[in-house]
Structure formats: structure tokens, C-alpha cells
Amino acid sequence: LQAEMHTTWIQVYGIENDEPFVKYMASLYWAEQTITTVGYGDFRCNVYSEYIISILWMLVGATFYSFLVSNISSLVASMD
């Protein structure tokens, strides 16, 4: 139990010996999931190209959602 308390996310995912780009992609993926409220990764990416595609689609989704909300808000504000 004591050893589990000192286990980092890098060790859990087994990337402690990987290059910095791999660690960066994993942390960026987590950050995008958190910011876009998609979730905390019920389905984890297995290939780093999947990380890149997932990050891009989360950004597209967040942009679309923001655009939609702003247009609806503008429409409601312009109504008399």
C-alpha cells in the first residue's frame, strides 16, 4: 500500500523511460479531456497518433460547442 501511494501517473502508464514527446502527448491528452469536459479517459489511446487525433477532435468539438452557444446567446439577446 505504501508503494502505491508514491506511484506517479508516468509509472502507472509505463512511460517513465519514454522520450519527452510521449509524456507530453499523454499529458496534453489528459488536459484536453479535462478542459473540454469529455471525461477522464474511459477509453485510453494506445497509439500516439490516436492521442493527436483525439486532441484535435476535442478541440473541434469545443470550438463547435462554443460557436453554437454564442450564436444562441446572441439570438436570444437580440430578441425584443
Side-chain angles (χ1 to χ4, degrees), residues 36-76:
T36 59
T37 66
V38 172
Y40 285 101
D42 297 332
F43 301 102
R44 185 174 185 268
C45 294
N46 294 317
V47 181
Y48 292 100
S49 60
E50 291 177 347
Y51 278 115
I52 294 169
I53 292 168
S54 296
I55 289 167
L56 291 175
W57 274 113
M58 284 186 269
L59 288 172
V60 167
T63 302
F64 178 74
Y65 181 74
S66 300
F67 178 75
L68 186 66
V69 168
S70 68
N71 280 336
I72 291 172
S73 298
S74 178
L75 181 66
V76 170

Side-chain angles (χ1 to χ4, degrees), residues 3-19:
E4 290 177 14
M5 293 177 63
H6 297 289
T7 303
T8 65
W9 65 273
I10 293 175
Q11 293 167 335
V12 169
Y13 292 113
I15 60 174
E16 64 266 12
N17 296 323
D18 288 344
E19 58 189 66

